[in-house]
Amino acid sequence: MSSSVEAITVLSSDGDEFKITVSAAKLSKPLNWMLEDVCFSDDCDEVPTIEVNSKTLVKVIEYCEKHAPRANSGASDSDAEELKKWDIEFMKMDVKDILFHILMAANYLHMEGLYDLACQTAADLMKGMTVSQIRKIFHIKNDFSSEEQEQLRRQHPGCSFD
Amino acid sequence: MGLKRRKLSTKKTKKKLKPRNSLSNLPDEILHHILSFLKLRDIARLRVLSKKFQTLSATAPSFCFSERRPSFWFSKPRFRHRRNCSCAHVFNFMNTLPQHRSHSLKIKRISFKSFCDKGEHSSLHDHWINNLFQTFHVEQLSLNYQLPSIFTSLPKFQSLKLLKLEMNRVIMVKLPEMKLTSLETLHIMFFATEDPVGEWVSQSFPALKSLFLSEINVSWLSKKLLDLEIRSSCLEALSIQKCCSLKPVRIITENLRTLSYVTCPCVRCHHNDDIVDFRYDDSVFEISAPNLRRLSWQGYAPRLCYDARTFQSLQVASFTKLSLQNLNLTIQLFEATRRATSLHTDTGMIKVSS
């Protein structure tokens, strides 16, 4: 059995199995520690669980596989350009369905690149939106009483609340 | 198959990951990180979303002051924008921040990206800036597209406990006189001066550990080449990139561990309607850094004098033009590689025939 495996198997929180290449797994600090910790070989019967649901894990692994070659060896500027375009396409996703989960997963797996990308995406969504649009997109409940609301209106003239 | 399940646990996270479909349910750490990508005007507006966001906006880790560039830079109407200072909610936010934010809560980063060109607003900005710096401990300051007047708006530098300072396209004819004893990291990008940068750095920032210089040049018309002498004794990491008009470079630092150098590809000047390409790749380098461990060199090889006794890693990429005048360098690099434990070259140009 060769000791250097190219891909490892992980379980999602829903119990589904996923394959991830070693170089891609290295983008996540905890996964990297785990790789150093345990030997992964075909006769190894331990399958680590990642506390991320299957739908999100698919996306996270997709991101890792795409970014791994660049992270492991410096890439040229044209590659970086192409990767940026890919990132933008990648982030076109449903906010409450996936984006929140991606944010949590990237934070949990210590993946700086994906974390920044997801936070940037969320921040971009907030720019240029009215307050009520932001509330709708991100499912934020307006918990101010009508008096507090009135006071805020006075303090923020010219700021639309609807 | 009786698979044993092992939970992936990290030192930090043991919590259940259930975002439950609302941004408000995400941990503050993540929300603050999202806020760090927003400009001041957007952060100020979040206050009216909900109670949670009212607190979050007041405790945001970083603030970015940004105005659209002066209107003559862009003539298209879509770039006309309401200014921060004429926005009542920004005004209110900035004036009440010290009441809503605990004074012991550090501000990680304050950045300025272009300023309001209206005279009557600049005193307002000055007031806000002074207030922020005097009330809170600010760790990082980032200045982009600023006029030299920014240094008079800021409170006396001596009183600041900044750890990191970034200057990008700050227009300065003379280097400002300052002394920041706490500063550990300095980034300077796109900057034209005729003053001795190295000397200014070592005098102004005695505790500097990391220095990043990119595209530092003399003004286009000046024929003078820039002298760079770096003698900061605490410096551990130095990176010089695309500085075209360097002539002699002297790096004399006791504690330097990593040095990375990227040469300027070429300088293109318009001279009597002709485009002339200049290459200043015959700058002379003198490096005296007994603790240097990592050297990464990209581009043309200048004449280099270096005593390579302690190399552990050497990265030399694309030596495209290695002529006889650089023979000395080749031999020295070759000497260095014998001692280096890792070597990476992009081209097979280093060949020494005895």
Side-chain angles (χ1 to χ4, degrees), chain B residues 17-265:
Chain B
L17 299 167
K18 271 195 187 144
R20 246 182 279 126
N21 294 350
S22 167
L23 193 67
S24 321
N25 293 336
L26 292 180
D28 285 2
E29 184 197 347
I30 296 183
L31 293 169
H32 272 148
H33 198 64
I34 294 176
L35 293 195
S36 70
F37 289 95
L38 290 172
K39 305 273 159 61
L40 180 66
R41 53 163 52 254
D42 294 308
I43 293 180
R45 215 164 51 121
L46 293 181
R47 240 185 184 187
V48 300
L49 275 179
S50 72
K51 282 178 182 163
K52 170 136 182 169
F53 276 87
Q54 195 169 32
T55 324
L56 279 172
S57 61
T59 52
S62 56
F63 295 102
C64 174
F65 291 81
S66 172
E67 298 288 352
R68 290 287 164 184
R69 285 170 217 171
S71 44
F72 55 82
W73 289 28
F74 298 106
S75 48
K76 286 181 190 161
R78 68 190 169 99
F79 286 112
R80 289 209 192 103
H81 209 273
R82 280 190 71 183
R83 297 170 190 290
N84 278 341
C85 9
S86 50
C87 261
H89 75 280
V90 178
F91 188 86
N92 185 287
F93 179 79
M94 286 312 297
N95 284 334
T96 54
L97 189 67
Q99 296 157 31
H100 293 292
R101 186 185 175 104
S102 151
H103 289 200
S104 58
L105 190 63
K106 285 178 195 164
I107 296 178
K108 257 198 197 142
R109 183 184 163 106
I110 292 184
S111 57
F112 298 100
K113 287 185 179 161
S114 71
F115 244 132
C116 186
D117 52 343
K118 281 197 172 175
E120 69 260 39
H121 288 155
S122 59
S123 63
L124 192 59
H125 262 139
D126 289 1
H127 174 70
W128 289 345
I129 296 165
N130 271 297
N131 234 345
L132 278 184
F133 276 105
Q134 270 158 23
T135 322
F136 305 103
H137 176 186
V138 182
E139 286 186 346
Q140 279 188 32
L141 174 65
S142 163
L143 307 169
N144 301 278
Y145 298 99
Q146 297 300 306
L147 297 171
S149 61
I150 180 81
F151 290 103
T152 48
S153 320
L154 291 169
K156 279 270 172 278
F157 260 110
Q158 278 83 342
S159 61
L160 303 183
K161 288 199 172 62
L162 278 183
L163 296 179
K164 183 171 175 181
L165 175 65
E166 289 173 335
M167 290 194 269
N168 183 12
R169 295 177 205 268
V170 179
I171 304 156
M172 266 188 263
V173 187
K174 269 195 85 62
L175 292 164
E177 214 174 290
M178 56 167 88
K179 188 137 185 146
L180 267 174
T181 47
S182 58
L183 202 75
E184 290 180 356
T185 312
L186 176 67
H187 285 225
I188 308 179
M189 286 156 278
F190 297 100
F191 179 71
T193 183
E194 286 179 24
D195 290 353
V197 179
E199 201 178 302
W200 174 72
V201 166
S202 34
Q203 276 177 11
S204 310
F205 317 108
L208 202 66
K209 283 190 180 152
S210 164
L211 175 63
F212 178 88
L213 302 172
S214 176
E215 312 201 25
I216 314 282
N217 297 303
V218 287
S219 62
W220 292 108
L221 293 171
S222 167
K223 287 246 166 69
K224 217 180 107 191
L225 291 176
L226 204 63
D227 224 322
L228 185 67
E229 183 167 324
I230 291 169
R231 283 178 180 273
S232 306
S233 59
C234 296
L235 205 65
E236 286 172 10
L238 172 64
S239 171
I240 303 172
Q241 296 193 353
K242 299 174 190 165
C243 299
C244 298
S245 35
L246 297 179
K247 184 70 180 169
V249 180
R250 245 168 265 121
I251 301 167
I252 300 161
T253 48
E254 210 172 294
N255 290 307
L256 197 70
R257 296 283 163 136
T258 57
L259 169 65
S260 110
Y261 182 82
V262 179
T263 11
C264 188

